[in-house]
């Protein structure tokens, strides 16, 4: 079990003060930490930007962004995955890259004198076997 | 020992001019950085890491295991992902972004400036760059401002704790737009003619989504050093 240091929370609200999502009605990081400590469910985990400003600001060194990522892992294991990230996982499973090099960028690369190579079979085999669990199973 | 350059997948596939600019800087300064070649995605830290922790840890650790010397990244998402896995594995691998490479060579870069950029630029390294620098006790904003000054520009400071909103794009588009607009309005309020960033995702959000004039710090540094590629066609922002 990862230790995010959530039990050290002083409820000072520093994490929420710096959160760009909270400023616009998204996730509220100090609520997430409080709910986690009280064993309550958290909503809006996918409205976190994973910008890590909360973790950098916390005076107690709580890894708030890491905790939210952990809660996203839990949501994901229940099948609660935004369509955007389902697509990302499919793309990663297919090409082992989030963004494949296709026609337009291939020609931009050629114009810039950049190579367009392939991932080696050894790396493809090794990494393909590492992709498992929610999003990657299909 | 040479350092190792991991190019990631976002910049090679979506913003290859930044990769070309980095290579120009490496070559012009004769930096001892070896290209690691074609490798899989780092399992970026916003979406893929959120899906399954062990898959993220295994893949990003695999990439780290291929590095010799320091692992140099072009994308700050890669920096966060790879540095995070190195830390979790107890590895002493030093993962550094290209902003740090530019900053640690600032003296040599100043000597090579032939075309000072002459612009006032809002400085926005990006959340991931700021986070990783903060974890090392460094301030990404002041590092980027140092670079802007060294290449003949004038840095301007927007509000703190901004974000490009890319992390919630296509999840909650109203939220993403509000976060993006807040940043662009703050850049405009500085009186700058454009924003300069280190992060490819910020570049895409500001330049291609908000259509606000955006530069990569790698691109501007190479340009100031005499890189003559026509990068105008890669920009959408006005």
């Amino acid at each position: 079990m990862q230790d995010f240091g959530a039990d050290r929370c002083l409820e000072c609200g520093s994490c929420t003060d710096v959160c760009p999502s909270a400023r616009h009605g998204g996730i509220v990081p100090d609520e997430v930490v409080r709910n986690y400590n009280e064993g309550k469910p958290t909503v809006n985990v996918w409205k976190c930007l994973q910008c890590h400003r909360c973790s950098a600001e916390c005076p107690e060194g709580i890894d708030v962004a890491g905790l939210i990522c952990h809660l996203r892992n839990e949501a994901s294991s229940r099948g609660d995955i935004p369509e955007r990230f389902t697509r990302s996982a499919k793309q990663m499973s297919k090409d082992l890259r989030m963004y494949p090099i296709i026609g337009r960028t291939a020609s931009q690369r050629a114009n810039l004198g950049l190579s367009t190579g392939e991932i080696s079979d050894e790396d493809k085999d090794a990494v393909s076997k590492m992709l498992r669990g929610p999003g990657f199973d299909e | 020992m040479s350092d190792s350059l991991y190019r990631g997948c976002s910049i090679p596939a979506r913003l290859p001019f930044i990769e070309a600019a980095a290579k120009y800087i490496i070559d012009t300064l004769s930096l001892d950085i070896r290209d690691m070649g074609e490798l899989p995605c780092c399992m970026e830290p916003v979406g893929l890491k959120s899906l399954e922790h062990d898959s993220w840890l295994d893949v990003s650790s695999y990439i780290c295991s291929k590095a010799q010397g320091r692992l140099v990244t072009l994308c700050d998402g890669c920096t966060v992902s790879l540095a995070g896995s190195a830390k979790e594995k107890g590895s002493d691998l030093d993962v550094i972004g290209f902003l740090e490479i530019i900053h640690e060579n600032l003296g040599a870069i100043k000597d090579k400036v032939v075309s000072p950029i002459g612009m006032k630029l809002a400085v926005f390294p990006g959340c991931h760059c700021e986070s990783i620098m903060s974890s090392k006790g460094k301030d990404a904003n002041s590092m980027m401002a140092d670079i802007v000054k060294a290449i003949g520009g004038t840095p301007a400071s927007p509000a703190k704790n901004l974000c490009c909103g890319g992390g919630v794009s296509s999840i909650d588009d109203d939220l993403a737009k509000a976060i993006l607009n807040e940043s662009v309005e703050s850049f405009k309020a500085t009186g700058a003619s454009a924003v300069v960033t280190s992060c490819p995702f910020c570049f895409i959000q500001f330049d291609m989504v908000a259509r606000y004039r955006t530069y990569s710090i790698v691109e501007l540094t190479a340009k100031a050093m005499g890189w003559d590629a026509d990068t105008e066609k890669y920009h959408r922002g006005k």
Side-chain angles (χ1 to χ4, degrees):
Chain A
M1 185 67 181
Q2 291 172 269
D3 179 13
F4 305 101
D7 58 340
R8 297 194 297 271
C9 182
L10 304 170
E11 301 195 11
C12 66
S14 298
C15 52
T16 299
D17 287 345
V18 297
C19 175
S21 178
R23 276 203 300 279
H24 298 282
I27 196 167
V28 182
D30 65 327
E31 267 183 23
V32 173
V33 178
R34 187 164 58 248
N35 285 348
Y36 179 76
N37 284 336
E38 293 175 357
K40 294 178 181 170
T42 291
V43 295
N44 286 346
V45 288
W46 298 109
K47 293 190 179 184
C48 168
L49 297 146
Q50 283 291 296
C51 68
H52 292 245
R53 294 199 183 279
C54 48
S55 301
E57 191 69 16
C58 178
E60 288 296 305
I62 299 169
D63 183 7
V64 184
L67 170 61
I68 296 171
C69 186
H70 168 71
L71 295 170
R72 283 154 77 122
N73 287 163
E74 288 190 343
S76 165
S77 70
R78 297 191 299 271
D80 172 12
I81 306 174
E83 173 59 25
R84 166 183 162 184
F85 296 145
T86 302
R87 287 197 305 271
S88 298
K90 280 184 183 164
Q91 173 57 41
M92 180 68 186
S93 299
K94 179 171 166 278
D95 288 326
L96 302 184
R97 284 178 168 143
M98 279 283 287
Y99 305 102
I101 293 171
I102 50 176
R104 187 170 61 88
T105 37
S107 112
Q108 285 180 0
R109 292 186 65 78
N111 290 338
L112 289 159
L114 298 170
S115 65
T116 302
E118 291 287 323
I119 300 170
S120 73
D121 289 343
E122 180 191 342
D123 290 335
K124 279 183 186 170
D125 290 346
V127 170
S128 293
K129 288 174 187 157
M130 295 172 187
L131 298 176
R132 57 197 180 275
F136 300 108
D137 283 341
E138 293 171 29
Chain B
M1 183 189 291
S2 303
D3 291 331
S4 303
L5 178 69
Y6 174 68
R7 290 182 270 122
C9 53
S10 177
I11 286 177
R14 302 178 81 185
L15 305 167
F17 68 96
I18 297 176
E19 179 184 335
K23 286 189 180 300
Y24 180 86
I25 294 169
I26 290 169
D27 291 346
T28 305
L29 298 178
S30 301
L31 301 178
D32 191 8
I33 301 175
R34 180 186 61 92
D35 191 332
M36 293 172 75
E38 307 302 327
L39 284 169
C41 171
C42 69
M43 295 287 279
E44 54 83 20
V46 176
L48 295 181
K49 184 182 177 186
S50 296
L51 297 182
E52 216 283 319
H53 176 270
D54 291 348
S55 297
W56 161 76
L57 185 61
D58 287 352
V59 175
S60 51
S61 299
Y62 181 79
I63 291 164
C64 288
S65 74
K66 300 261 178 184
Q68 295 179 334
R70 300 180 300 176
L71 200 170
V72 180
T73 61
L74 293 180
C75 165
D76 298 316
C78 298
T79 321
V80 167
S81 195
L82 299 174
S85 71
K87 184 180 176 191
E88 195 164 324
K89 286 280 190 179
S91 161
D92 59 3
L93 178 68
D94 191 6
V95 183
I96 69 168
F98 211 79
L99 181 84
E100 285 183 88
I101 292 290
I102 295 174
H103 196 263
E104 72 185 18
N105 288 286
L106 216 48
I109 287 171
K110 265 185 180 173
D111 291 341
K112 297 276 186 188
V113 169
V114 291
S115 305
I117 58 172
M119 284 186 282
K120 183 177 180 182
L121 295 162
V123 166
F124 184 73
C127 305
H128 287 159
C129 181
E130 292 179 50
S131 157
I132 206 82
M133 289 298 99
S134 169
S135 72
K136 295 179 179 185
K138 297 179 181 178
D139 176 4
N141 284 281
S142 60
M143 289 168 72
M144 188 174 270
D146 289 344
I147 297 167
V148 169
K149 281 187 256 185
I151 59 176
T154 305
S157 300
K160 293 192 181 307
N161 300 313
L162 300 173
C163 180
C164 72
V168 294
S169 173
S170 299
I171 294 171
D172 184 331
D173 284 332
D174 289 341
L175 179 60
K177 193 174 175 186
I179 294 167
L180 175 62
N181 287 346
E182 179 188 34
S183 295
V184 171
E185 289 308 312
S186 183
F187 302 152
K188 289 178 180 171
T190 66
S193 55
V195 62
V196 60
T197 186
S198 168
C199 171
F201 293 95
C202 295
F203 184 97
I204 288 165
Q205 281 288 102
F206 298 138
D207 187 81
M208 297 180 184
V209 178
R211 300 286 170 127
Y212 179 72
R213 192 66 174 177
T214 306
Y215 293 100
S216 155
I217 190 67
V218 185
E219 168 196 13
L220 287 184
T221 302
K223 285 278 189 183
M225 292 168 66
W227 185 47
D228 61 1
D230 173 18
T231 56
E232 188 62 26
K233 58 191 168 191
Y234 305 118
H235 294 266
R236 299 285 179 274
K238 305 294 179 198

